Amino acid sequence: MQTTLSKKPLTLTFWHRWRWLLWLVVVAVIYLWAVTGLHFTGLQESAAAVSRSIVHGLVHPDWSYVYNGSGEDLVSLIFQTLAIAFLGTFISALISVPFAFWAARGSHEWLHVRSRSGKIILTLIRTFPEIVLAIMFIKAVGPGSYAGVLAVSIHSIGMLGKLFSEAIENMDRGADEAITSAGGNGAQIFMLATLPTIMPEFISYTLYRFEIAVRSASILGMVGAGGIGTPMIFAIQTRNWPRVGIILLGIVLMVLLIDSLSEQLRKRLI
Amino acid sequence: MMTQVPRRPWTQRWHVKPIGWTVLMVGLLIASSRMTGVDVAMFFGNLGQFTELLVRMSQPAWDYLPVILNPLYETIQMAILGTTIGAVFAVPFAVLAASNLVHNRWLRGGIRLILDLVRTLPDLLLAAIFVAIFGIGSTAGVVTLAIFSFGMVSKLFYEVIETIDMGPLEAMESVGANPLVIIWYAVLPQILNQFVSYFLYTLEINVRASTVLGYLGAGGIGVFLQRSLNEFNYSQTAVIILATLVVVMVIDGISNHLRRVLL
C-alpha cells in the first residue's frame, strides 16, 4: 500500500525536477537562432561623429524654429498633430460603438458566431499596419493631414472596438432588467439603461486611445500624412540636428502634457 | 416633517457642465477639422481610386512569398533580441524605481523621470534616428526595439515589484542579509513569473512594431513593404501584410498560451 502510493509522485517529481532543463534548451536554441540569423552590419565609421553631432544638436536646439508665424513652425505643426489625433480618435470612437456591440459576447448564443466574427474583424484591423493605411489614404485624398486623420480613425477601431466590447461584456445588467420589467422597448433600454451605464468606460478608453493616437500622429508625417513627422524626417535626412533637437523636445513635451491631462480626466471619470 | 423639495444649485438647473463640455467638444472638432483640411466630399469623390487599390490588394501575388520568408524571420529575430536587451537593462532600473525597495525619494523620482521621458518617444522616430547613426540594416532595428521595450518593460516591472509581499524581505533583513542576497531569495521568486509574462507581452508588441521599422531602413520585412509600395506593386504588399498577419497571430497565440500557463 505504502509503496504503490509513493511510486506515482516520484515520476512526477522527476519531470518537475528536470523540466527547467528542457526549457533552458528551448530558450537557448531560440536565442542561438536569433543571434546567428541577424548579420550585424557593424558600426559605420561615421557613427561616433554622427552621434556626437546629434547630442550637440539636442543640447543646442534650433530655438528660432519654435514660432515664426509661417504656419510651418513647431507650434503650429504640434497643434496640427493634436488635431489629427483628436479628430481621428473622435471619428473612430463613433465607428467603434457598432463594432463593439457586434463583437460583444451575448449570454445565450450557439457557438457565438456573431461575437467570434466581430472579434476576428477587429483583430484584422488591429494588425493592419497604420503606416500602410496612411499610404493608402494618401493615394485617395492626397498627402497631408487629412490622410493622417483617416488612417488614425480606421486603425483605432481595432483597439477601441475590442476594449468597448469587453466593457459591454462586463457591464452591470441591472438597469437593463429594470427597464425591461417596467415594460420598456429595445430603444428605450438602450438609451436609458445601457448607454448611461457604459458611457464612463467608453470615454475613459477613448481618452486612453487618444494618448496613443498623439504618438502615432507624430510619426505618420514620416510617410507624408501631415503633422510634426514631416519636418522631422526632413531634418533627419538633411542632418539638421539642431532642428531634430527642437522637434524632439516639442514631441516629448506634447506627449507628457497630453498624458497627464488625460490621466487627470480619466481619474475623475471612474 | 420635511415638505420642502431639495433645491438644485443653478449650475445643475441650467446644465452648465454638460452644455460646457458639448460646446468645448464641438469647438475642438470644428477647429481640428479646419486645421487638418478634412473634406468629406473629396474622400467620396476619390473613393474610386481607393477601391481600385483595394481590388489590386485583394489579388495577392503568392509567388512572392518565398522571397519574403527570410526577412520575416529577420523581423522575429530583431524583436526577440531587442526585447531581451531592453528587458535586461530594465531590471536594475525597475528595482531602483520601486517605492518599496528604494526609500530615497530623489533617486526614485529621478529614475522615474528618465523612464517617463524614454516612453514618450514613438518607435518609428527612434528608428529614423538610429538608422542615421548605425546605417541601414537590422542593427538600427534591434537598438530601436531595445530602447522602446526598455521604457515599457521597466514600468511594468516596477509596478510588479511594488505589489510583492514584504514579509520575506523583512525576515531576511532582520537576520542581516545584504541587499543582493535579499533580492535573489526574497524578491525574485515572487516576481519571476510575472516578469516572464510581461516580457512575452512586450515581445508581442515588438513583433508588431518591428514589421514597420524597416520602412525607414531598420531591417526586417518593412524594407520589402516599402519597396512594394514605392513600386505601386500592391499585390506584393498584400502578400507581405497577410504573411505579417499570420506571424503576429502565431506569436500572439504562443505567447498567450505561455502566459496563461505561467500565471
Side-chain angles (χ1 to χ4, degrees):
Chain A
M1 194 62 189
Q2 196 65 37
T3 45
T4 49
L5 268 177
S6 60
K7 265 237 164 90
K8 226 176 180 178
L10 252 181
T11 52
L12 259 178
T13 46
F14 178 79
W15 164 241
H16 274 281
R17 191 173 287 171
W18 296 106
R19 195 170 48 173
W20 64 271
L21 201 66
L22 178 76
W23 281 111
L24 195 71
V25 171
V26 170
V27 171
V29 167
I30 290 176
Y31 277 108
L32 207 65
W33 173 71
V35 174
T36 51
L38 291 176
H39 25 83
F40 290 101
T41 43
L43 289 175
Q44 288 179 313
E45 334 49 287
S46 60
V50 173
S51 330
R52 223 173 303 130
S53 49
I54 289 178
V55 172
H56 184 263
L58 290 178
V59 178
H60 303 90
D62 177 7
W63 293 110
S64 65
Y65 183 61
V66 173
Y67 186 75
N68 55 23
S70 67
E72 292 294 318
D73 48 54
L74 185 69
V75 173
S76 15
L77 283 173
I78 288 269
F79 275 112
Q80 198 186 44
T81 307
L82 288 176
I84 293 173
F86 178 77
L87 208 60
T89 312
F90 190 87
I91 297 170
S92 144
L94 291 184
I95 309 176
S96 294
V97 173
F99 272 97
F101 279 97
W102 179 11
R105 176 173 288 187
S107 48
H108 41 268
E109 201 189 341
W110 184 71
L111 271 179
H112 308 288
V113 180
R114 173 180 59 80
S115 144
R116 282 258 167 81
S117 60
K119 286 207 162 92
I120 289 172
I121 297 280
L122 289 177
T123 311
L124 288 180
I125 298 176
R126 218 169 33 241
T127 323
F128 202 93
E130 202 170 18
I131 293 283
V132 177
L133 261 183
I135 292 165
M136 287 167 65
F137 281 121
I138 285 173
K139 301 274 188 266
V141 298
S145 36
Y146 187 17
V149 171
L150 290 172
V152 169
S153 50
I154 298 299
H155 185 76
S156 307
I157 294 172
M159 186 179 161
L160 273 184
K162 178 172 185 262
L163 291 172
F164 283 6
S165 72
E166 278 164 6
I168 293 168
E169 281 168 12
N170 299 327
M171 74 177 263
D172 179 14
R173 305 260 167 205
D176 277 26
E177 283 160 18
I179 305 262
T180 315
S181 65
N185 62 28
Q188 284 166 334
I189 293 172
F190 184 76
M191 285 309 295
L192 296 172
T194 310
L195 220 51
T197 314
I198 212 77
M199 221 38 184
E201 260 182 287
F202 276 16
I203 296 176
S204 163
Y205 283 139
T206 309
L207 278 170
Y208 173 62
R209 180 66 222 189
F210 175 63
E211 292 174 30
I212 299 175
V214 169
R215 286 175 168 79
S216 53
S218 63
I219 51 178
L220 280 180
M222 290 185 162
V223 297
I228 192 70
T230 314
M232 181 77 185
I233 195 81
F234 282 151
I236 290 176
Q237 277 165 356
T238 54
R239 303 288 192 260
N240 187 349
W241 299 115
R243 179 68 62 88
V244 174
I246 191 72
I247 295 176
L248 264 183
L249 205 67
I251 293 178
V252 166
L253 278 180
M254 170 183 76
V255 171
L256 283 180
L257 201 73
I258 293 292
D259 276 12
S260 61
L261 200 74
S262 149
E263 203 176 319
Q264 290 297 319
L265 279 174
R266 282 194 285 146
K267 241 180 237 160
R268 280 170 58 186
L269 268 169
I270 294 189
Chain B
M1 202 171 91
M2 284 265 288
T3 49
Q4 218 177 358
V5 176
R7 282 173 59 86
R8 296 187 298 179
W10 68 273
T11 47
Q12 272 186 16
R13 198 154 8 133
W14 300 103
H15 305 288
V16 172
K17 253 188 173 173
I19 291 176
W21 278 109
T22 314
V23 169
L24 182 72
M25 287 302 278
V26 171
L28 281 176
L29 277 178
I30 293 173
S32 51
S33 51
R34 277 238 186 104
M35 210 178 279
T36 53
V38 167
D39 183 354
V40 183
M42 178 164 79
F43 176 64
F44 285 104
N46 291 349
L47 206 60
Q49 276 185 14
F50 190 68
T51 44
E52 191 204 310
L53 207 150
L54 279 179
V55 166
R56 279 165 67 187
M57 280 184 91
S58 64
Q59 300 153 341
W62 291 113
D63 52 331
Y64 192 55
L65 195 59
V67 183
I68 58 168
L69 276 183
N70 266 329
L72 263 180
Y73 295 149
E74 198 188 49
T75 301
I76 303 172
Q77 290 161 340
M78 270 164 52
I80 292 176
L81 280 189
T83 315
T84 310
I85 297 170
V88 167
F89 279 102
V91 171
F93 278 85
V95 169
L96 289 178
S99 60
N100 52 353
L101 297 184
V102 173
H103 298 296
N104 183 342
R105 201 148 49 93
W106 292 104
L107 174 65
R108 209 171 64 218
I111 297 278
R112 285 198 184 185
L113 185 70
I114 296 174
L115 297 180
D116 282 343
L117 288 178
V118 171
R119 264 203 315 283
T120 56
L121 296 172
D123 45 2
L124 272 178
L125 210 143
L126 285 173
I129 293 175
F130 284 117
V131 166
I133 298 179
F134 294 106
I136 289 170
S138 47
T139 314
V142 171
V143 176
T144 303
L145 290 174
I147 290 183
F148 184 64
S149 41
F150 166 77
M152 193 171 136
V153 169
S154 49
K155 178 163 196 228
L156 293 169
F157 277 12
Y158 81 66
E159 279 170 358
V160 170
I161 296 177
E162 285 182 347
T163 60
I164 62 172
D165 175 15
M166 296 300 282
L169 270 88
E170 281 157 14
M172 290 190 71
E173 227 164 66
S174 68
V175 294
N178 73 38
L180 278 181
V181 175
I182 292 178
I183 288 176
W184 184 258
Y185 284 104
V187 181
L188 209 61
Q190 295 193 55
I191 55 176
L192 197 62
N193 277 8
Q194 272 175 298
F195 267 26
V196 176
S197 165
Y198 278 136
F199 173 79
L200 289 169
Y201 172 66
T202 314
L203 183 68
E204 283 175 42
I205 292 178
N206 275 347
V207 169
R208 278 166 209 259
S210 64
T211 56
V212 291
L213 287 186
Y215 197 88
L216 295 168
I221 190 75
V223 178
F224 288 78
L225 189 68
Q226 193 226 11
R227 199 174 296 167
S228 70
L229 282 167
N230 276 358
E231 292 167 359
F232 306 108
N233 205 334
Y234 297 114
S235 44
Q236 288 185 354
T237 312
V239 176
I240 294 173
I241 289 173
L242 286 175
T244 317
L245 195 77
V246 170
V247 167
V248 167
M249 279 182 169
V250 168
I251 299 272
D252 276 15
I254 297 174
S255 142
N256 273 331
H257 176 74
L258 284 178
R259 281 165 59 198
R260 219 169 308 153
V261 172
L262 275 169
L263 292 181

